[in-house]
Amino acid sequence: MSKSLDSRTPVATVDVVIVGAGFAGLSAADRLVNTGASVLVLEGRDRVGGRSFTGEVAGVKVDLGATWVSPRHTAIRDLAAKVGCTTTPQFAQGRNVQWLAGKRRTYGGTIPPVSAAGVVDMARIQMALEKLVGTIDVDAAWESPDAAWLDSISFGEWLDKKRALPSTRALMTVVSKVQWGASPGDVSLLHALRYIRAAGGIDHMLDVDGGQQQDRITQTTQEIAVRLAQQLGDRVVLNAPVRRITQNGQGVIAHTGSATIHAKHAIITTTPAHRAAIEFEPALSETAEGLTKTWRMGALSKALVAYKTPFWRADGLSGEAVTDTGTVFITFDVSPAENGPGVLMAFCDPRVFDGFSPELRRSRVVQQLADLYGAQANDAIDYVDHCWGTDTFAPGGPNPAAPPYASVTYANALTEPHGRVDWAGTETAGEWAGCMNGAVLTGQRAAERVIARLRGESSK
Ligand SMILES: Cc1cc2nc3c(=O)[nH]c(=O)nc-3n(C[C@H](O)[C@H](O)[C@H](O)COP(=O)(O)OP(=O)(O)OC[C@H]3O[C@@H](n4cnc5c(N)ncnc54)[C@H](O)[C@@H]3O)c2cc1C
């Protein structure tokens, strides 16, 4: 029997306690509730959605975190449909802007044009990368044939070994900063290959049409989580950071600062790094401890700038840009309509962003948009941003930036249950690790494993 938690009931007893109300935790809860199990989802933040977070600019709801779904992301799409959320195609008509090495040009297609030698070099590096991606076991990259070697160098060192030209390196650096919130030199080659494999290859990872940037959720991605949490009702408890989990042969006890939850099993959906904020008794294995210490989260920041209209469209521009100069390194047009406010979304480098005042952050972004899209970009009517690396609770994102040796040494602990504690969260996914889709799948699968264990226990 489920018991909701509030100040009057600081002790609750349920079948399964779930840590984290992101897509993994909410999906696990949804699956468990549908089979009749009692659950309580404990969320440390004052909101649900985790790395999906809605902001507002010029009255338009915007995604400060996760934004896009691919046509192949069927789990998150199904979940969105179930709660009445819809998709909007990512606007991609017109020419893209490139501002690399101080030079502005426009181009069509996904990969920005460089010199003839640059185009050849980019194709050479992409082919070499795809060849390595093909050797990766998506469910256990660290057990792939050359895992030890691939995890012994960073993505950046591999680009050096391959003598990648500066233009190729500049583009790969943008990819690395967006995917792992870190430079290529900070990420293991094996880690990078695992995420590219999980994302369906480099083209699917970067493309709009048919790729991971194809559609946005019209109501914002966090709204899916908000609606699912509403369905779960008082089974979701906010402001409840789990500090300690103890267990014995009969069950687990989760302790927040002010409440104690007794359960038969626990599902923990935090990122690997954030598992370290929970004290486990019995303690985690050395491998599991190592995972929490080495799989540090990367950092990425996002800014959304509103204009009266999407003026760049009139100039034949898509609103998509890539640049290696300054704070912003990628932009997209996320305007709600042709004649409504125009909204540009900009990915920003936290190292030249997060430490500045809100006014300075805004002026740097707007200035750069003016470089990319012309003087009209100075006439911003509203602005909002979010620095994921400086969140006070569970900081970092989009993904971990695991350095060399961290995967072959510790990644087995991503999914290895710790007694009655099971793990979920996008990092534990094989295919679609790093996306909302992966998070949903891991939550559902963890729920299935726990349901099987509950059934096994009740039949004894
Ligand atoms: C800037 C950015 C852009 C992104 N873009 C995309 C995109 O376009 N498409 C896409 O598919 N994905 C994108 N992602 C990734 C996507 O957001 C994640 O893959 C997904 O949301 C992860 O869900 P999750 O449930 O696994 O983890 P999370 O969303 O991180 O949820 C884990 C939850 O656990 C909570 N928690 C942590 N520790 C504790 C504790 N001790 N006690 C209680 N609660 C705790 C956290 O507060 C959090 O709510 C992006 C992410 C970021 C940051």
Side-chain angles (χ1 to χ4, degrees):
M1 179 70 180
S2 167
K3 225 176 174 190
S4 69
L5 187 70
D6 62 26
S7 54
R8 286 159 294 143
T9 56
V11 178
T13 303
V14 288
D15 290 327
V16 187
V17 62
I18 297 170
V19 180
F23 285 113
L26 295 172
S27 301
D30 184 47
R31 183 61 59 98
L32 283 158
V33 166
N34 287 337
T35 63
S38 59
V39 303
L40 211 47
V41 184
L42 303 176
E43 169 54 53
R45 289 182 162 115
D46 61 0
R47 61 172 181 85
V48 299
R51 281 169 272 174
S52 273
F53 186 26
T54 306
E56 195 171 313
V57 69
V60 179
K61 299 261 190 270
V62 288
D63 292 299
L64 298 171
T67 305
W68 295 287
V69 292
S70 136
R72 292 165 64 191
H73 289 173
T74 50
I76 184 74
R77 281 176 177 269
D78 288 349
L79 189 60
K82 178 177 145 149
V83 297
C85 288
T86 52
T87 57
T88 299
Q90 171 58 45
F91 183 83
Q93 290 156 33
R95 293 181 68 73
N96 303 336
V97 177
Q98 171 194 288
W99 182 278
L100 292 176
K103 198 161 181 253
R104 180 187 184 278
R105 0 184 199 192
T106 63
Y107 67 98
T110 304
I111 305 287
V114 279
S115 62
V119 171
V120 172
D121 191 61
M122 185 62 211
R124 177 180 70 89
I125 293 295
Q126 187 174 342
M127 214 189 294
L129 207 50
E130 291 286 15
K131 201 167 164 204
L132 291 178
V133 166
T135 69
I136 299 299
D137 174 352
V138 75
D139 291 317
W142 37 96
E143 285 165 16
S144 303
D146 292 323
W149 181 78
L150 297 170
D151 205 30
S152 71
I153 60 169
S154 70
F155 184 27
E157 284 167 321
W158 180 80
L159 290 169
D160 288 344
K161 274 182 194 292
K162 287 279 167 198
R163 297 181 191 281
L165 289 181
S167 54
T168 304
R169 220 190 149 93
L171 283 172
M172 288 299 161
T173 299
V174 169
V175 170
S176 181
K177 285 180 175 176
V178 173
Q179 295 300 325
W180 305 292
S183 296
D186 296 329
V187 182
S188 139
L189 175 60
L190 180 68
H191 186 69
L193 295 173
R194 175 189 180 227
Y195 271 82
I196 297 171
R197 178 93 165 93
I202 203 145
D203 283 336
H204 186 260
M205 186 186 231
L206 302 182
D207 280 352
V208 173
D209 269 353
Q212 289 210 145
Q213 281 68 236
Q214 180 172 290
D215 297 304
R216 296 186 282 116
I217 300 295
T218 317
Q219 297 79 3
T220 73
T221 59
Q222 193 198 0
E223 184 61 20
I224 305 172
V226 168
R227 292 184 187 184
L228 188 56
Q230 277 163 0
Q231 290 181 3
L232 290 165
D234 64 4
R235 298 180 186 93
V236 181
V237 184
L238 302 179
N239 300 305
V242 174
R243 308 280 188 214
R244 194 159 170 252
I245 292 196
T246 57
Q247 61 174 309
N248 58 25
Q250 279 71 53
V252 301
I253 306 175
H255 307 261
T256 72
S258 57
T260 306
I261 294 87
H262 296 256
K264 292 176 187 147
H265 293 272
I267 297 175
I268 299 189
T269 72
T270 73
T271 69
H274 297 137
R275 293 177 188 178
I278 303 172
E279 185 192 341
F280 291 90
E281 195 187 314
L284 295 178
S285 68
E286 273 186 32
T287 309
E289 288 274 6
L291 179 83
T292 70
K293 291 194 179 108
T294 55
W295 277 52
R296 70 176 182 84
M297 291 302 285
L300 180 64
S301 302
K302 262 173 106 171
L304 291 113
V305 188
Y307 298 92
K308 263 194 185 150
T309 60
F311 64 85
W312 51 92
R313 294 186 187 181
D315 296 334
L317 297 176
S318 64
E320 191 177 329
V322 59
T323 166
D324 67 348
T325 318
T327 304
V328 171
F329 45 81
I330 284 190
T331 73
F332 278 94
D333 177 344
V334 293
S335 311
E338 186 72 42
N339 52 0
V343 182
L344 284 172
M345 181 174 79
F347 286 97
C348 304
D349 187 338
R351 288 176 298 187
V352 283
F353 190 71
D354 293 7
F356 299 140
S357 66
E359 297 75 28
L360 188 53
R361 294 202 300 268
R362 175 178 173 145
S363 72
R364 284 179 75 106
V365 170
V366 169
Q367 170 61 56
Q368 224 180 325
L369 294 181
D371 289 343
L372 292 166
Y373 295 107
Q376 280 190 84
N378 284 315
D379 302 328
I381 57 168
D382 202 5
Y383 172 92
V384 66
D385 66 26
H386 191 77
C387 305
W388 285 91
T390 64
D391 263 4
T392 49
F393 190 79
N399 293 309
Y405 298 115
S407 292
V408 287
T409 318
Y410 304 117
N412 261 329
L414 277 172
T415 52
E416 181 71 27
H418 177 57
R420 289 174 169 268
V421 173
D422 206 325
W423 311 101
T426 195
E427 286 75 21
T428 68
E431 197 179 27
W432 310 125
C435 307
M436 294 176 286
N437 202 59
V440 171
L441 289 170
T442 64
Q444 293 171 345
R445 288 172 193 154
E448 295 296 345
R449 289 192 297 272
V450 169
I451 289 163
R453 289 181 75 174
L454 286 170
R455 284 190 183 134
E457 285 158 12
S458 69
S459 66
K460 275 183 192 159

